[in-house]
């Protein structure tokens, strides 16, 4: 099974150096989304002391021509610190810093979807929108083959792997456990994890998070997973259909509620929101993967616990629907609903923004409304 050369380096030797004191200085790893809208980049700078708030972190810059974000003739891009977490790899007092990217003219880069999301979330603060996102992913060897699968064939058919236990059912649990603990240390609102339907496929859940925090926490959880996998010498894929054929794809089911939905009689508000979502299916499909729906077309087939990409559907406890109302919500007449359409490689900023636009700002039509005017 192919693992990376870096993972074979002597980690005990590295630890000698990591145990050295660093004085009063702190290392801050700046993280940003690159021009693909899916990839993450990072680099580190030294600070004179441990930063206590986001205001303590200086702006920085990078070469956008090497990250699919600008041309070489005008390549400087700005990194604007947006959210700060503890660093589980270097440990305290060091930090992970999620950044927004601005172009040379101080306007958001094309894949900086955070700025608009933050503006939309600020318009609905009094509604207290809560989100919980279920991030599915697949572990791969460095040659792109699913982790633990036979090199010249397939494992047994789906059935025993979901929430499975045992060496023949759970592939790569060490990575899952390491990621979970690293997220807790960092301060990411991770709330659970489980093995998924396809072998070498797993899921972690982040939430409930209010407003812009959902996107911040999910992107940092993804970054931590990439780094943990790097240490183990394997690759994490968020592709929505990594293996074609009779295998489940990977989504990022998004649970959503507002203060009104969570209060008595909230089911009526949930049903009204679903009616609005039904009229805006194509807008949401375009927002729910980085390629405007093309990635999800491979996953949303109407099979393998998905709805058809061409049709909107909703139902209680129905995992083959676009929108699922949990059975307990149907009984309690309040709570939340689950949008099962977002792909595993979605940008959580635009997914959460789209839900707020349709359900709370009551937008209609194929295009988002410009609220900046």
């Amino acid at each position: 099974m192919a693992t990376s050369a870096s993972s074979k380096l002597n980690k005990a030797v590295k630890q000698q150096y990591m145990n050295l004191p660093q004085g009063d200085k702190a290392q801050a790893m700046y993280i940003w989304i690159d021009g693909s809208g899916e990839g993450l980049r990072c680099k580190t700078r030294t600070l004179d002391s441990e930063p206590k708030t986001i205001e303590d972190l200086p702006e920085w810059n990078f070469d956008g021509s090497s990250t699919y974000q600008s041309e070489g003739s005008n390549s400087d891009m700005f990194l604007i610190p947006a959210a700060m977490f503890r660093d589980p790899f270097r440990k305290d007092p060091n930090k992970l810093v999620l950044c927004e990217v601005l172009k040379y003219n101080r306007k958001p880069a094309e894949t900086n979807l955070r700025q608009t999301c933050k503006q939309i979330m600020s318009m609905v603060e009094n509604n207290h929108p809560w989100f919980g996102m279920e991030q599915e992913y697949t572990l791969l060897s460095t040659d792109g083959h699913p982790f633990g699968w036979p090199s010249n064939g397939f494992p047994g058919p789906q059935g025993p792997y979901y929430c499975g236990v045992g060496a023949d059912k759970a592939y790569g649990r060490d990575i899952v456990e390491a990621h979970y603990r690293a997220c807790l240390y960092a301060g990411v609102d991770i709330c659970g994890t489980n093995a998924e339907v396809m072998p070498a496929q797993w899921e972690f859940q982040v939430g409930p998070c209010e407003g812009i925090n959902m996107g911040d926490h999910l992107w940092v959880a993804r970054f931590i997973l990439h780094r943990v996998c790097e240490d183990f010498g394997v690759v994490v894929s968020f592709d929505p259909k990594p293996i074609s054929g009779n295998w489940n794809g990977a989504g990022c089911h998004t649970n959503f509620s507002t203060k009104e939905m969570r209060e008595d009689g909230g089911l009526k508000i949930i049903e009204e929101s679903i009616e609005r979502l039904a009229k805006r299916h194509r807008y949401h499909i375009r927002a729910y993967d980085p390629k405007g729906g093309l990635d999800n077309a491979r996953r949303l087939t109407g099979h393998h616990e998905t709805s058809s990409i061409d049709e909107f559907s909703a139902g209680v406890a129905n995992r083959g629907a676009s929108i699922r109302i949990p059975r307990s919500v149907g009984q309690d007449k309040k709570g939340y609903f689950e949008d099962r359409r977002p792909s595993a490689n979605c940008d959580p900023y635009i997914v959460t923004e789209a839900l707020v636009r349709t359900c709370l700002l009551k937008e209609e039509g194929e295009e988002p409304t410009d609220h900046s005017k």
Side-chain angles (χ1 to χ4, degrees):
M1 193 175 58
T3 55
S4 72
S6 298
S7 68
K8 298 178 178 70
L9 294 171
N10 189 323
K11 304 299 179 188
V13 172
K14 176 195 169 190
Q15 200 53 46
Q16 274 180 216
Y17 301 103
M18 297 308 286
N19 289 336
L20 293 171
Q22 59 185 75
D24 294 331
K25 308 276 190 192
Q27 290 169 285
M29 182 174 277
Y30 282 44
I31 302 160
W32 70 97
I33 301 158
D34 71 16
S36 69
E38 300 178 60
L40 288 162
R41 308 291 179 117
C42 64
K43 62 177 189 167
T44 301
R45 69 183 296 161
T46 304
L47 303 174
D48 289 335
S49 59
E50 180 182 358
K52 301 297 183 189
T53 67
I54 206 79
E55 287 74 28
D56 296 339
L57 296 159
E59 286 185 17
W60 207 6
N61 55 59
F62 68 95
D63 168 18
S65 69
S66 301
T67 61
Y68 320 120
Q69 284 170 299
S70 70
E71 296 173 5
S73 59
N74 190 6
S75 66
D76 272 11
M77 312 280 285
F78 297 103
L79 289 173
I80 313 299
M84 183 169 69
F85 296 81
R86 294 168 74 198
D87 186 337
F89 306 103
R90 295 167 171 154
K91 305 199 181 77
D92 290 338
N94 306 301
K95 303 297 180 192
L96 302 179
V97 182
L98 183 67
C99 298
E100 283 192 34
V101 177
L102 301 184
K103 295 190 282 196
Y104 69 94
N105 57 6
R106 308 289 294 184
K107 290 191 169 146
E110 283 70 17
T111 53
N112 175 5
L113 304 180
R114 187 182 188 274
Q115 200 163 86
T116 312
C117 179
K118 193 174 182 190
Q119 177 208 343
I120 294 298
M121 293 302 172
S122 69
M123 295 170 67
V124 296
E125 278 178 353
N126 294 339
N127 298 94
H128 298 288
W130 289 3
F131 302 93
M133 297 183 83
E134 307 170 23
Q135 177 69 68
E136 293 180 334
Y137 61 92
T138 310
L139 298 175
L140 306 174
S141 303
T142 50
D143 59 6
H145 197 67
F147 179 80
W149 284 32
S151 54
N152 294 314
F154 297 92
Q158 296 184 154
Y161 308 108
Y162 172 71
C163 299
V165 180
D168 56 342
K169 299 180 186 69
Y171 297 16
R173 193 187 296 276
D174 282 357
I175 291 162
V176 176
E177 293 293 337
H179 173 250
Y180 202 152
R181 189 61 61 90
C183 282
L184 289 173
Y185 180 93
V188 170
D189 285 335
I190 188 169
C191 61
T193 190
N194 58 270
E196 265 304 331
V197 176
M198 186 179 88
Q201 188 186 59
W202 295 80
E203 171 183 302
F204 64 89
Q205 302 92 29
V206 176
C209 294
E210 189 165 321
I212 196 71
N213 288 338
M214 184 68 252
D216 292 348
H217 282 245
L218 188 65
W219 273 116
V220 171
R222 285 174 175 175
F223 173 81
I224 291 171
L225 182 56
H226 280 298
R227 277 284 286 102
V228 168
C229 285
E230 186 184 316
D231 283 348
F232 281 100
V234 301
V235 177
V236 58
S237 170
F238 296 111
D239 188 279
K241 189 74 175 178
I243 307 297
S244 56
N246 198 22
W247 302 98
N248 272 36
C252 192
H253 301 156
T254 302
N255 301 280
F256 174 58
S257 71
T258 63
K259 187 168 180 287
E260 268 192 298
M261 292 178 193
R262 296 187 292 271
E263 290 171 348
D264 288 343
L267 185 59
K268 181 172 176 289
I269 311 295
I270 290 171
E271 287 167 346
E272 287 170 5
S273 292
I274 292 171
E275 279 177 38
R276 276 194 278 277
L277 289 165
K279 294 172 187 162
R280 250 190 148 199
H281 180 60
R282 286 207 305 187
Y283 161 69
H284 282 266
I285 288 295
R286 282 206 318 276
Y288 283 1
D289 79 50
K291 296 189 179 68
L294 293 176
D295 277 346
N296 246 338
R298 295 182 283 125
R299 166 182 161 255
L300 295 178
T301 58
H303 304 288
H304 304 110
E305 297 181 49
T306 70
S307 57
S308 165
I309 195 167
D310 299 315
E311 295 166 21
F312 181 88
S313 55
V316 175
N318 181 0
R319 282 181 163 76
S322 311
I323 304 286
R324 179 180 72 94
I325 299 175
R327 191 167 300 288
S328 60
V329 174
Q331 290 166 348
D332 296 343
K333 303 282 189 283
K334 64 179 177 181
Y336 67 97
F337 66 84
E338 174 192 50
D339 193 334
R340 298 178 62 80
R341 295 171 294 175
S343 67
N345 61 346
C346 71
D347 188 320
Y349 293 127
I350 197 168
V351 170
T352 55
E353 176 192 319
L355 283 165
V356 165
R357 283 179 179 274
T358 302
C359 299
L360 285 174
L361 299 180
K362 302 183 181 174
E363 291 184 17
E364 296 175 353
E366 295 285 309
E367 297 297 329
T369 305
D370 185 357
H371 293 279
S372 63
K373 292 172 181 169

